[in-house]
Each structure stands twice: as structure tokens, then as C-alpha cells.
Amino acid sequence: MPKENKKRGRREEQKKRKLADLNISTYPVQKRQKSEDGDGNGDVEIIVDNHEHQRDALLYAPPANPSEITFYGLLDEEEQEYFKRADSLLELNQFADAEERKLFLANLYREANGKELKIANSQSCSRLMERLVLMSTPSQLKALFQKFSGHFLNLMQHRFASHCCETLFLRCAPIVTQELTATVDEEQRKADAEAIHVSMENLFLYTVNELEGNLGYLMTDHFASHTIRVLLVVLSGKPLQSAATNSMLQSKKKEKIDVNNHATESQEANEGYRTVPDSFYVAVDKMITSITAGLDSTNLRALAMHPTGNPVLQLLLEIECMRFGKQNSNDERSLIRRLLPDDIPEEGTEGASFINGLLYDAVGSRLLEAIIQFSPGKLFKALYRCLLKERLATLARNDIASYVVIRILERLSKEDLEYAMNQLTPQISALIERSRTLVIKTLIERCHVRQLETKSVADAFLKIYGQDEATGLISLLKLDTSPDDGMNQNRKKQLSSEEVGGLHSSLLVQAMLVTPGPLRDFVTSSLLAMKTEDLLAMAKDRTATHVLQGSLTCLDQSSLFRRKMVQRLLGHILGLATHAIASHVVDAIWPATEGLLFLREKIAEEMLANEKEIRDSFFGRAVWRNWMMDLYNRRRREWLSRAKGLTKGSVQEHDVHAEKYKQRSGTKTSIDLARERFAAKRAGNHRARREESHHHPRLVAVDGSNA
């Protein structure tokens, strides 16, 4: 059983006794907003007072109607043992064929019949339910969905069952699109004739109706909030497996439940927007109205600071802005209009105070990012010019507001971006010192997209690191070039993985490499100025190695730089090829030496001389395969043709086309003409020697037997 969260210590006990003597509660009084149906179900705990303790009390809000939360019972020991064993079999997925797996799932569904809710609420068996959902057929998913229907309000608030609901919604979302676009086959039609047909669309709509009246509370519930987000994503047709969606739906600590060697739908289909029925859009509008009906502007702004309700508010704002666009800014009932009621949020207005409060708040700034990213252009321009334009340099130095500045830079026009660059360029030294390199990276990327000259940014880097470019790049990348002092390797990996600043700096330098001009020249000259030992240390660093790889493979990189860099690495190929990280640098050398055949041959010869050591290494074998070293060792002529950019088939095809052209036109190629000239010259020399020997017979004997 989980223990109660208590504060220990003598001072805490004394505080409790004093509060008890004064008859004061340890939690502040909260104002309860009634839901739209007025029956008390789904009450939303919203703090009107901005006091810090009252805001924290949102985390301790009691569940709606706790007496109605249903207990579904427990599995006995024999059932738990059986389902645990079935879970391990599903996770391994080592069935002989698809038929055996289908038979196993059918038997498992038969054993779980009537116990689905118990399994979903079980700490030890809820993972089985998630894996079962991942491997089920559409008909099995519909049957399971119907088992859960009528109980979603309780399941979504449960610590373990809420994860089962999320997996079920995500797995059933593509089936809605399939039912809209695909035709029903004959077997499915016969099966539906025997049973009552329920579409997946109707099952989702039943779920929305079941949750109606409680959505206001559920959006701030610790477990149900994530399920509400998943349901909104499914109904709105947003991508299911994009990076932005994943960060919105789940935290980094969420356990990933999957099945080995089992793919459900194609990842490309889940990464794009899906086709959903019109009834889903109506359901989304209904959910937005249901959530915000009992809240005024003050309570909505308080919800923006709530750690669990804020992500739901972001998602609602994004869906509303994506659907209605410019109409949102004119509709008084829209979410964005209720948060920012002023047309021009000048200083001193209600909207300006709200924006200023979000800027430096760790939770609220996420909502401000969503407002900047998805708000209509007219509203964004008003926000930027009235409140943010003159404060970019100050905001960029802050650890929280800097992410808001990144979103602002992504939406600026060419003229506004040039003004922002002039503001931020003098602050580059301070930004690097404070590890705000993502702001500089975004600025460089947007300047490249908008085709703005970045010479002023390059001059700022030269001013900081111009005295010693090699040391400056090492300092910028936070690269540790010192030798190993006996530190445990696992500990070193842990320290390097925890160094977020090094990762951000690496991304910054990679963005500089992608931008042609003075920024790329600064990085390439710094790399050429580095010592070979430092280059090898960079190749073996898990973040800095991407800079070295990018410098070799970036578009339109000069062949002179590529030749010099590869020549610096000759003689160290064995150590690089057998290293877990640096082996990717050797792989990057292949495209970097395009047109430099002699360097490819030198590296291949060096790997061939160390064949045994490379083959004994796991990473070395991958490099050996990528460089086609078996082909180099056995059929070197074919390897050379591939190294020149010609495959065996293309070489033969080229010869056939040349022969056909020669026969058809009678025109001789350049190599044929050269051969004829060489043969004629050789024949002429031979004829001249014969004539000379005819006029001077004494010169015929060249073996010394002169008469």
C-alpha cells in the first residue's frame, strides 16, 4: 500500500499543533466553480487569489464525488500468475507464426472475459492489458472498448487503468479513418450480420457523452489529464506520433510498453494528420465548451499556472486556433479572446498583466509559447510590437523566457528578424556564458531561411574566440580533451549524458555549419587549427562528434577542407572504427571523399591492414560492411568502380550504350582516337628503324657479334 505523504520533524509537529489550537486548516480555502450542468459533478477547483499556497492547493483537490468511484475487485493469486505469464509471452512475441499468435490472443481474451476491468486496475497486470490492446484486431478492440464503456470516468482517474485507456484510444484512432475510407470485405460483413454492428466512431462519441459534466475536473486530475489530452488529439485528427504530440501527451518518465518485433500501423500514417468524421469536430467543440463553461477569464488565467491543467489548456488553444484561425480573435466566446480580451494589449491593460505574469513562470510560459505559435497573425503582431519587441535581449538571457524568444523568432518577418538580430547580436557573449545557445541557434536558422546576411553574428563569434580559434571552438563545445585519470567509464558516460549545455552548443555549431558564408568559415577554420589529438577527442565525444561529421558531409562543403580533414585522420582509422561513437565519423568519411578516390583507397588499405582487429569489434564490423571491404579484398576493380560513383550495372550499361552509339554513328570515341594515334606512332618508329638498318648493315648486329 502506498504511504501517506507526510512532513517529518519537530518543527512541523509544532506547526500542526498551533494550527489545531487556532482551528486553522493546513490547506487554504478554495473557491469552487460549478460545472455547466449545475449538479455538482465535475466541479473545478480554481484558485482566485494569487497567493502561492492557494495555488499549490490545486494539487490536493479531492476527486469529484469520491463515493461514486467504483472498486472492481481483485484478481486471485492463480489468475495473477496466469496473466503475468501471458504478459511475458506477449512481450517476447516469439510465436512460430501469425496463426499461433492469433490462437493465443483468442484464448487470452476468453480467459479475461469478465475480468477486463480488474486487469486494467491491477498494478501487476495492467501492462498485459496494454500489450493486449497493441496486438488485438479491430473486432477485438471494439469488443474491449464496449467492455470499458460506462466505466471510463472511473478508469481515467485510476493510476494504472488510465494508461490502458490511453493505449486503447491511440490504437483505435486509425480504425476510425479505415472505416471511413476502406470498404468492408465479405467476411467482415458476415460477422457483422450475426452481431450488432457498432462503429468505432460511435464508441468514441459514447465516451465523450459519458464524460460530459466532469471534464472540468478531469483536466486537472493527475491521471485523467493525460487521457483527456489523448482523447482530444484523437478527435481533432492531429498526428499521433509526432515529437510535439508526444511531449504534449506524456512525460519523459512514462514507461514505454511495447511488443518485440510487432508493428501496428505504419509510422508515416501516424505522423500525419488523419481523416476524421465531422461528428468528431462537433465533439471537440462540445468538450471545449464543457471545460470552459464554468470558468471566467480570471479562473482561466489561474488555470494557466496549474501544472496539470496547463497542457490541456495548450491543446485546447491549439485545436481552436487551427480550426477557426482568424475567426477566433473576433469571437468573444473563444478561448484566446477570453484569455486576452484586449485588441491591443498595451502596458497596463488586463491582457498585458497576464502576458507579463506568464513570461517568467515555468508552467505558464508553456501556454505563452502556444499563444505565440498558434495565435492569428494580427494578434501575434500586436503582442510582439506592444509587449515583446523591445525586451528581446532581456528575455533571451532568462532561463525560462528564452524559450518564449525562440517561438517569437520562428514567426518573425524578414524586417522584424533583422531588427531582432541587431538586438541579440551584442548579447551573444552573455548568452553563451549563460548557456542560452538555443536562442542563437534559432536566430541563425531563421536568418538562413529568410536569406539574411549573418556577417554581424560571425563577427561577434570572432570577437569572442578570434584570438585562438581552436581553443575557442573547444570551449564553445565544452569538450573535455584531458586524458583519462582513471575515472570509471560508466561514471564518465553519466556525466556526459547529464551535460545538457554541451548538447545545445553542439546543435549551435551544427547550425553554423549548415549556413554558408562567414559562420561556416569560422567553424571550418577552427577545425583545421585544432590539434590532431583534439580532433580525435572530438570524434569520440557523444555530442561534439556530430560537429565533425557535419563538417564533412554538409552541403557544398569545399573539397579542399574535406581533403585536409580526412588526411588529418589517416593513421588513426583503427581506433576510430572500433569506437562506439567515433565509428560514425569513419562512416561519414565515405560521402566526404566523393571525388577523392585516392583518399578512399588509402583508408581502405589501412582498414585491410587491421582487418582482424576491426572484425573483432562490433562497431568495426559495421564500418567494414559500410565500406564494402569484402568487395575491396576480393574484387577490387568492382570496388573501385563503386568508389568512383559507378555500380557494376551502371558500368556495363555505359559500355553497351557506347558500343551502340559507335555502331550507329560510326563516330570514334576519344579513347579510340588516342589508341589509333599511339599505334600509328609505334608503327612509324618501327618502320624508321628498319630503313636505317637497311642503309647501315653493320648496325644490325646488336649482340656484339660484329664482322
Side-chain angles (χ1 to χ4, degrees), residues 284-302:
V284 170
D285 296 339
K286 186 178 180 181
M287 290 182 67
I288 295 176
T289 305
S290 176
I291 290 174
T292 60
L295 302 175
D296 55 11
S297 298
T298 305
N299 294 327
L300 274 177
R301 291 169 189 161

PDB file of all heavy atoms in Angstrom, residues 284-302:
ATOM      1  N   VAL A 284     -15.375  17.773 -30.302  1.00  0.00           N
ATOM      2  CA  VAL A 284     -14.300  18.608 -29.765  1.00  0.00           C
ATOM      3  C   VAL A 284     -14.847  19.956 -29.308  1.00  0.00           C
ATOM      4  O   VAL A 284     -14.503  20.449 -28.223  1.00  0.00           O
ATOM      5  CB  VAL A 284     -13.190  18.788 -30.823  1.00  0.00           C
ATOM      6  CG1 VAL A 284     -12.200  19.852 -30.376  1.00  0.00           C
ATOM      7  CG2 VAL A 284     -12.465  17.483 -31.062  1.00  0.00           C
ATOM      8  N   ASP A 285     -15.697  20.566 -30.136  1.00  0.00           N
ATOM      9  CA  ASP A 285     -16.316  21.837 -29.729  1.00  0.00           C
ATOM     10  C   ASP A 285     -17.128  21.671 -28.450  1.00  0.00           C
ATOM     11  O   ASP A 285     -17.129  22.551 -27.569  1.00  0.00           O
ATOM     12  CB  ASP A 285     -17.217  22.352 -30.854  1.00  0.00           C
ATOM     13  CG  ASP A 285     -16.429  22.689 -32.104  1.00  0.00           C
ATOM     14  OD1 ASP A 285     -15.215  22.896 -31.980  1.00  0.00           O
ATOM     15  OD2 ASP A 285     -17.037  22.732 -33.196  1.00  0.00           O
ATOM     16  N   LYS A 286     -17.783  20.534 -28.350  1.00  0.00           N
ATOM     17  CA  LYS A 286     -18.585  20.257 -27.155  1.00  0.00           C
ATOM     18  C   LYS A 286     -17.701  20.126 -25.920  1.00  0.00           C
ATOM     19  O   LYS A 286     -18.038  20.631 -24.836  1.00  0.00           O
ATOM     20  CB  LYS A 286     -19.385  18.974 -27.386  1.00  0.00           C
ATOM     21  CG  LYS A 286     -20.370  18.624 -26.301  1.00  0.00           C
ATOM     22  CD  LYS A 286     -21.133  17.363 -26.681  1.00  0.00           C
ATOM     23  CE  LYS A 286     -22.128  16.967 -25.611  1.00  0.00           C
ATOM     24  NZ  LYS A 286     -22.862  15.720 -25.983  1.00  0.00           N
ATOM     25  N   MET A 287     -16.533  19.470 -26.094  1.00  0.00           N
ATOM     26  CA  MET A 287     -15.616  19.315 -24.965  1.00  0.00           C
ATOM     27  C   MET A 287     -15.034  20.659 -24.548  1.00  0.00           C
ATOM     28  O   MET A 287     -14.899  20.947 -23.349  1.00  0.00           O
ATOM     29  CB  MET A 287     -14.495  18.340 -25.340  1.00  0.00           C
ATOM     30  CG  MET A 287     -14.943  16.892 -25.492  1.00  0.00           C
ATOM     31  SD  MET A 287     -13.576  15.769 -25.883  1.00  0.00           S
ATOM     32  CE  MET A 287     -12.626  15.836 -24.367  1.00  0.00           C
ATOM     33  N   ILE A 288     -14.666  21.499 -25.528  1.00  0.00           N
ATOM     34  CA  ILE A 288     -14.113  22.810 -25.190  1.00  0.00           C
ATOM     35  C   ILE A 288     -15.141  23.650 -24.434  1.00  0.00           C
ATOM     36  O   ILE A 288     -14.835  24.292 -23.422  1.00  0.00           O
ATOM     37  CB  ILE A 288     -13.648  23.524 -26.468  1.00  0.00           C
ATOM     38  CG1 ILE A 288     -12.489  22.766 -27.116  1.00  0.00           C
ATOM     39  CG2 ILE A 288     -13.232  24.960 -26.161  1.00  0.00           C
ATOM     40  CD1 ILE A 288     -12.036  23.345 -28.434  1.00  0.00           C
ATOM     41  N   THR A 289     -16.374  23.621 -24.912  1.00  0.00           N
ATOM     42  CA  THR A 289     -17.441  24.366 -24.230  1.00  0.00           C
ATOM     43  C   THR A 289     -17.694  23.817 -22.839  1.00  0.00           C
ATOM     44  O   THR A 289     -17.904  24.568 -21.876  1.00  0.00           O
ATOM     45  CB  THR A 289     -18.729  24.307 -25.058  1.00  0.00           C
ATOM     46  OG1 THR A 289     -18.460  24.774 -26.382  1.00  0.00           O
ATOM     47  CG2 THR A 289     -19.823  25.149 -24.432  1.00  0.00           C
ATOM     48  N   SER A 290     -17.652  22.488 -22.708  1.00  0.00           N
ATOM     49  CA  SER A 290     -17.910  21.858 -21.414  1.00  0.00           C
ATOM     50  C   SER A 290     -16.830  22.201 -20.397  1.00  0.00           C
ATOM     51  O   SER A 290     -17.114  22.412 -19.222  1.00  0.00           O
ATOM     52  CB  SER A 290     -18.015  20.342 -21.593  1.00  0.00           C
ATOM     53  OG  SER A 290     -18.184  19.697 -20.361  1.00  0.00           O
ATOM     54  N   ILE A 291     -15.580  22.260 -20.870  1.00  0.00           N
ATOM     55  CA  ILE A 291     -14.471  22.525 -19.951  1.00  0.00           C
ATOM     56  C   ILE A 291     -14.474  23.971 -19.487  1.00  0.00           C
ATOM     57  O   ILE A 291     -14.255  24.275 -18.299  1.00  0.00           O
ATOM     58  CB  ILE A 291     -13.131  22.161 -20.631  1.00  0.00           C
ATOM     59  CG1 ILE A 291     -13.003  20.634 -20.783  1.00  0.00           C
ATOM     60  CG2 ILE A 291     -11.952  22.701 -19.838  1.00  0.00           C
ATOM     61  CD1 ILE A 291     -11.800  20.200 -21.568  1.00  0.00           C
ATOM     62  N   THR A 292     -14.749  24.889 -20.407  1.00  0.00           N
ATOM     63  CA  THR A 292     -14.606  26.311 -20.092  1.00  0.00           C
ATOM     64  C   THR A 292     -15.913  26.995 -19.715  1.00  0.00           C
ATOM     65  O   THR A 292     -15.912  28.202 -19.450  1.00  0.00           O
ATOM     66  CB  THR A 292     -14.006  27.040 -21.310  1.00  0.00           C
ATOM     67  OG1 THR A 292     -14.887  26.888 -22.440  1.00  0.00           O
ATOM     68  CG2 THR A 292     -12.647  26.465 -21.661  1.00  0.00           C
ATOM     69  N   ALA A 293     -17.034  26.236 -19.681  1.00  0.00           N
ATOM     70  CA  ALA A 293     -18.332  26.877 -19.427  1.00  0.00           C
ATOM     71  C   ALA A 293     -18.403  27.478 -18.031  1.00  0.00           C
ATOM     72  O   ALA A 293     -18.934  28.568 -17.840  1.00  0.00           O
ATOM     73  CB  ALA A 293     -19.465  25.864 -19.632  1.00  0.00           C
ATOM     74  N   GLY A 294     -17.879  26.801 -17.032  1.00  0.00           N
ATOM     75  CA  GLY A 294     -17.991  27.291 -15.658  1.00  0.00           C
ATOM     76  C   GLY A 294     -16.849  28.164 -15.224  1.00  0.00           C
ATOM     77  O   GLY A 294     -16.700  28.431 -14.030  1.00  0.00           O
ATOM     78  N   LEU A 295     -16.004  28.602 -16.174  1.00  0.00           N
ATOM     79  CA  LEU A 295     -14.828  29.390 -15.816  1.00  0.00           C
ATOM     80  C   LEU A 295     -14.887  30.746 -16.489  1.00  0.00           C
ATOM     81  O   LEU A 295     -15.143  30.844 -17.691  1.00  0.00           O
ATOM     82  CB  LEU A 295     -13.544  28.659 -16.257  1.00  0.00           C
ATOM     83  CG  LEU A 295     -13.329  27.247 -15.700  1.00  0.00           C
ATOM     84  CD1 LEU A 295     -12.092  26.633 -16.322  1.00  0.00           C
ATOM     85  CD2 LEU A 295     -13.193  27.277 -14.191  1.00  0.00           C
ATOM     86  N   ASP A 296     -14.613  31.785 -15.723  1.00  0.00           N
ATOM     87  CA  ASP A 296     -14.494  33.105 -16.317  1.00  0.00           C
ATOM     88  C   ASP A 296     -13.028  33.360 -16.664  1.00  0.00           C
ATOM     89  O   ASP A 296     -12.165  32.494 -16.503  1.00  0.00           O
ATOM     90  CB  ASP A 296     -15.033  34.174 -15.372  1.00  0.00           C
ATOM     91  CG  ASP A 296     -14.361  34.122 -14.006  1.00  0.00           C
ATOM     92  OD1 ASP A 296     -13.339  33.407 -13.880  1.00  0.00           O
ATOM     93  OD2 ASP A 296     -14.855  34.778 -13.075  1.00  0.00           O
ATOM     94  N   SER A 297     -12.722  34.571 -17.135  1.00  0.00           N
ATOM     95  CA  SER A 297     -11.363  34.885 -17.580  1.00  0.00           C
ATOM     96  C   SER A 297     -10.353  34.775 -16.445  1.00  0.00           C
ATOM     97  O   SER A 297      -9.229  34.286 -16.638  1.00  0.00           O
ATOM     98  CB  SER A 297     -11.325  36.300 -18.180  1.00  0.00           C
ATOM     99  OG  SER A 297     -12.160  36.386 -19.310  1.00  0.00           O
ATOM    100  N   THR A 298     -10.749  35.191 -15.253  1.00  0.00           N
ATOM    101  CA  THR A 298      -9.833  35.135 -14.104  1.00  0.00           C
ATOM    102  C   THR A 298      -9.458  33.699 -13.767  1.00  0.00           C
ATOM    103  O   THR A 298      -8.291  33.373 -13.524  1.00  0.00           O
ATOM    104  CB  THR A 298     -10.477  35.813 -12.888  1.00  0.00           C
ATOM    105  OG1 THR A 298     -10.860  37.134 -13.233  1.00  0.00           O
ATOM    106  CG2 THR A 298      -9.512  35.836 -11.718  1.00  0.00           C
ATOM    107  N   ASN A 299     -10.443  32.811 -13.772  1.00  0.00           N
ATOM    108  CA  ASN A 299     -10.173  31.414 -13.442  1.00  0.00           C
ATOM    109  C   ASN A 299      -9.404  30.711 -14.555  1.00  0.00           C
ATOM    110  O   ASN A 299      -8.589  29.819 -14.289  1.00  0.00           O
ATOM    111  CB  ASN A 299     -11.495  30.691 -13.186  1.00  0.00           C
ATOM    112  CG  ASN A 299     -12.190  31.210 -11.953  1.00  0.00           C
ATOM    113  OD1 ASN A 299     -11.536  31.616 -10.996  1.00  0.00           O
ATOM    114  ND2 ASN A 299     -13.521  31.248 -11.968  1.00  0.00           N
ATOM    115  N   LEU A 300      -9.646  31.082 -15.801  1.00  0.00           N
ATOM    116  CA  LEU A 300      -8.874  30.509 -16.903  1.00  0.00           C
ATOM    117  C   LEU A 300      -7.401  30.887 -16.786  1.00  0.00           C
ATOM    118  O   LEU A 300      -6.517  30.065 -17.036  1.00  0.00           O
ATOM    119  CB  LEU A 300      -9.425  30.993 -18.244  1.00  0.00           C
ATOM    120  CG  LEU A 300     -10.586  30.198 -18.843  1.00  0.00           C
ATOM    121  CD1 LEU A 300     -11.062  30.860 -20.129  1.00  0.00           C
ATOM    122  CD2 LEU A 300     -10.179  28.762 -19.105  1.00  0.00           C
ATOM    123  N   ARG A 301      -7.134  32.110 -16.402  1.00  0.00           N
ATOM    124  CA  ARG A 301      -5.745  32.540 -16.235  1.00  0.00           C
ATOM    125  C   ARG A 301      -5.090  31.851 -15.052  1.00  0.00           C
ATOM    126  O   ARG A 301      -3.891  31.559 -15.076  1.00  0.00           O
ATOM    127  CB  ARG A 301      -5.696  34.052 -16.069  1.00  0.00           C
ATOM    128  CG  ARG A 301      -6.063  34.794 -17.343  1.00  0.00           C
ATOM    129  CD  ARG A 301      -6.275  36.254 -17.096  1.00  0.00           C
ATOM    130  NE  ARG A 301      -6.830  36.913 -18.275  1.00  0.00           N
ATOM    131  CZ  ARG A 301      -7.445  38.073 -18.266  1.00  0.00           C
ATOM    132  NH1 ARG A 301      -7.601  38.723 -17.118  1.00  0.00           N
ATOM    133  NH2 ARG A 301      -7.911  38.591 -19.377  1.00  0.00           N
ATOM    134  N   ALA A 302      -5.856  31.598 -13.998  1.00  0.00           N
ATOM    135  CA  ALA A 302      -5.312  30.822 -12.878  1.00  0.00           C
ATOM    136  C   ALA A 302      -5.002  29.398 -13.308  1.00  0.00           C
ATOM    137  O   ALA A 302      -4.023  28.787 -12.864  1.00  0.00           O
ATOM    138  CB  ALA A 302      -6.299  30.829 -11.714  1.00  0.00           C
TER     139      ALA A 302
END
